[in-house]
């Protein structure tokens, strides 16, 4: 069996040693020493300031909306945020959960990120924010998005769940917007089992968020405002510290696999166009097939051979009834119908990637004699 992704388990001895420390201290949560160390190490590794660790990437989004007051009603009515329909469901559901209506703009058919040109028509007096996604770690048109935000007085929260370590012209992509959020779920390239982080532009917003993740309590035990419990614990931080130590070698391995896929498939399949200056953290290998029928066939065929290929992200969120969209996003619908993500994780063998590519060719061109025509693999 080859799953589409596999959680990375770091060096066990190192993890055991950190867990030993936790046992000695008997300090399990509430901004413990490992959470503090991980915060400092991540700020350094990522090249950011004002980073707050939280329990998961969905709460990271929710806390960011709250800290920036995006959830406040406008004249007694639900606020709105313009977002992308081409993302994991958490982007839209976190808005809905906070009582913010998601308005789905559309994506650029090449980069698959929110197209700023599709945003303006959706903005109303109740719109408080833009929530774009750097999808598959590809940098959004942040200049175009910021221009709209400035013109209409909107906050910008980037869902940067896929962006661990991604830079644009040498600068972390997490440094854009009023806040950017990360997910450290077990299936992401850097993980803390469950976990996430928010990177705020302003220190004041970080201080508000620190209260919000701890029941709204200020230094003492007095509630300043209603909060929630979104704290990361020491065991999560221990896992994170160990995974971080192996991050560079994992990224290297992923990169090698990614390039193998790329050289075998890029001449026949449309791949995501990476934004100029944006580095790749090799989190995913997405590609588009010619139509939905080809997707269904490939997923079924390789699934029968124990190879997990995911239709990711599908369906386009503007078509999901519970998100209550009253507009359609044709570019996103088209990409969502035709996209697949291929298996990619640090422990995947290069020979497995060769085998997967051969099987893909065989499904796409059943009449070819594989040995004669594709010996180049
Ligand atoms: C994984 C993911 C999330 C949710 O993060 P969790 O840590 O699983 O809560 C949000 N947005 C996107 C784009 C994601 O891929």
């Amino acid at each position: 069996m080859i799953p589409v992704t596999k959680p990375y388990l770091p060096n066990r001895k190192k993890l055991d040693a950190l867990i030993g420390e936790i046992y000695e201290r008997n300090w399990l949560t509430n901004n413990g020493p490992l959470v503090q160390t991980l915060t400092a190490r991540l700020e350094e590794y990522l090249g950011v300031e004002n980073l707050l660790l939280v329990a998961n990437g969905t709460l990271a989004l929710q806390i960011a909306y709250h800290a920036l007051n995006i959830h406040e009603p406008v004249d007694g009515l639900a606020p709105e945020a313009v977002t992308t329909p081409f993302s994991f469901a958490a982007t839209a559901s976190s808005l809905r959960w906070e009582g913010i209506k998601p308005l789905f703009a559309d994506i650029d058919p090449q980069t698959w990120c929110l197209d700023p040109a599709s945003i303006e028509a959706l903005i109303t007096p109740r719109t408080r924010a833009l929530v774009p996604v750097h999808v598959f770690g590809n940098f959004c048109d942040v200049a175009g998005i910021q221009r709209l935000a400035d013109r209409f007085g909107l906050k910008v929260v980037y869902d940067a769940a896929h962006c661990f370590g991604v830079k644009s012209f040498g600068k972390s992509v997490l440094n854009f917007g009023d806040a950017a959020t990360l997910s450290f779920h077990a299936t992401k390239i850097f993980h803390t089992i469950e976990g996430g982080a928010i990177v705020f532009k302003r220190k004041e917003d970080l201080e508000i968020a620190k209260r919000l993740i701890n029941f709204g309590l200020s230094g003492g035990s007095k509630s300043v405002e209603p909060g929630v419990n979104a704290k990361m614990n020491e065991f999560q931080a221990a896992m994170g510290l160990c995974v971080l130590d192996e991050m560079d070698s994992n990224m290297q391995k992923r990169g090698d696999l990614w390039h193998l896929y790329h050289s075998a498939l890029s001449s026949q399949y449309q791949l995501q166009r990476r934004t100029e200056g944006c580095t790749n953290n090799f989190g995913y290998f997405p590609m588009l097939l010619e139509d939905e029928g080809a997707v269904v066939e490939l997923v079924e065929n390789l699934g029968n051979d124990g190879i997990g290929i995911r239709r990711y992200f599908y369906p386009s969120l503007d078509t999901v009834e519970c998100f209550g969209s009253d507009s359609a996003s044709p570019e996103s619908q088209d990409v969502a119908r035709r996209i697949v993500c291929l298996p990619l994780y640090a422990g995947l063998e290069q020979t497995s990637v060769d085998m997967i590519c051969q099987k893909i060719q065989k499904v796409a061109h059943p009449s070819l004699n594989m040995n004669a025509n594709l010996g180049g693999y």
Side-chain angles (χ1 to χ4, degrees):
M1 285 294 291
I2 299 177
V4 72
T5 187
K6 206 181 227 179
Y8 184 73
L9 291 172
N11 182 290
R12 178 76 188 266
K13 278 212 181 82
K14 221 181 225 176
L15 184 62
D16 285 347
L18 287 180
I19 290 172
E21 285 179 26
I22 297 173
Y23 266 69
E24 263 165 44
R25 275 192 297 267
N26 210 337
W27 184 351
L28 306 188
T29 186
N30 289 53
N31 198 29
L34 296 183
V35 164
Q36 292 175 37
T37 304
L38 183 60
T39 303
R41 281 197 53 197
L42 286 174
E43 285 187 341
E44 198 201 331
Y45 185 90
L46 299 170
V48 300
E49 288 177 352
N50 303 330
L51 180 144
L52 181 65
L53 289 172
V54 294
N56 62 61
T58 305
L59 279 165
L61 286 163
Q62 291 174 229
I63 297 291
Y65 306 150
H66 263 259
L68 298 167
N69 274 320
I70 295 166
H71 67 301
E72 291 284 345
V74 183
D75 297 331
L77 296 169
E80 302 164 344
V82 181
T83 186
T84 173
F86 186 66
S87 182
F88 182 54
T91 312
S93 68
S94 63
L95 286 166
R96 263 286 192 229
W97 188 260
E98 291 298 331
I100 305 162
K101 185 177 185 201
L103 307 175
F104 297 105
D106 209 347
I107 58 169
D108 178 295
Q110 305 296 322
T111 66
W112 309 340
C113 292
L114 201 53
D115 177 3
S118 70
I119 295 175
E120 187 174 342
L122 297 176
I123 296 173
T124 79
R126 283 158 62 189
T127 310
R128 280 197 184 275
L130 305 178
V131 182
V133 178
H134 300 301
V135 74
F136 302 128
N138 201 22
F139 197 40
C140 289
D141 178 357
V142 294
I145 288 165
Q146 196 57 51
R147 263 197 302 278
L148 283 169
D150 292 343
R151 215 171 108 211
F152 292 96
L154 308 174
K155 295 286 202 272
V156 182
V157 176
Y158 284 103
D159 181 343
H162 305 160
C163 287
F164 194 87
V166 175
K167 303 215 156 151
S168 168
F169 294 107
K171 184 175 167 182
S172 171
V173 302
L174 304 169
N175 285 314
F176 295 85
D178 297 284
T181 64
L182 289 162
S183 165
F184 302 153
H185 183 256
T187 55
K188 303 293 206 278
I189 62 170
F190 169 80
H191 79 90
T192 59
I193 310 171
E194 293 272 4
I198 315 165
V199 174
F200 286 101
K201 173 175 279 168
R202 286 170 295 271
K203 183 135 187 87
E204 307 90 87
D205 295 331
L206 169 70
E207 295 305 325
I208 294 167
K210 278 184 184 168
R211 273 203 313 268
L212 291 174
I213 67 167
N214 191 32
F215 315 103
L217 299 176
S218 66
S221 53
K222 186 164 152 272
S223 285
V224 176
E225 68 222 290
V228 71
N229 179 358
K231 303 186 299 291
M232 177 175 279
N233 69 50
E234 289 290 275
F235 284 79
Q236 291 171 290
M239 177 62 89
L241 285 166
C242 294
V243 175
L244 189 59
D245 280 342
E246 298 177 50
M247 202 56 214
D248 290 340
S249 70
N250 278 351
M251 203 94 98
Q252 177 79 44
K253 284 181 203 151
R254 283 175 165 278
D256 291 345
L257 299 168
W258 191 96
H259 282 105
L260 277 181
Y261 277 130
H262 190 269
S263 57
L265 302 168
S266 63
S267 62
Q268 293 166 72
Y269 295 96
Q270 186 189 334
L271 305 181
Q272 182 181 35
R273 188 171 75 215
R274 305 288 303 180
T275 305
E276 197 195 342
C278 177
T279 61
N280 195 339
N281 64 7
F282 308 113
Y284 303 87
F285 192 89
M287 65 179 197
L288 296 189
L289 305 190
E290 63 204 30
D291 55 35
E292 190 167 13
V295 168
V296 171
E297 187 186 9
L298 189 70
V299 170
E300 191 185 310
N301 252 284
L302 271 69
N304 288 340
D305 290 342
I307 299 164
I309 291 194
R310 283 239 344 241
R311 298 189 67 182
Y312 198 61
F313 297 100
Y314 172 84
S316 182
L317 300 176
D318 60 302
T319 66
V320 177
E321 207 171 326
C322 68
F323 296 138
S325 172
D326 24 52
S327 63
S329 314
E331 299 291 358
S332 173
Q333 289 181 20
D334 178 54
V335 169
R337 269 195 294 267
R338 295 194 290 131
I339 199 159
V340 291
C341 280
L342 304 182
L344 185 57
Y345 48 92
L348 184 63
E349 299 288 339
Q350 297 199 358
T351 51
S352 299
V353 170
D354 292 339
M355 181 266 289
I356 292 165
C357 291
Q358 287 189 30
K359 284 185 190 288
I360 290 171
Q361 302 292 1
K362 210 165 168 175
V363 174
H365 312 286
S367 59
L368 285 187
N369 176 336
M370 299 304 292
N371 294 331
N373 291 299
L374 293 160
Y377 293 108

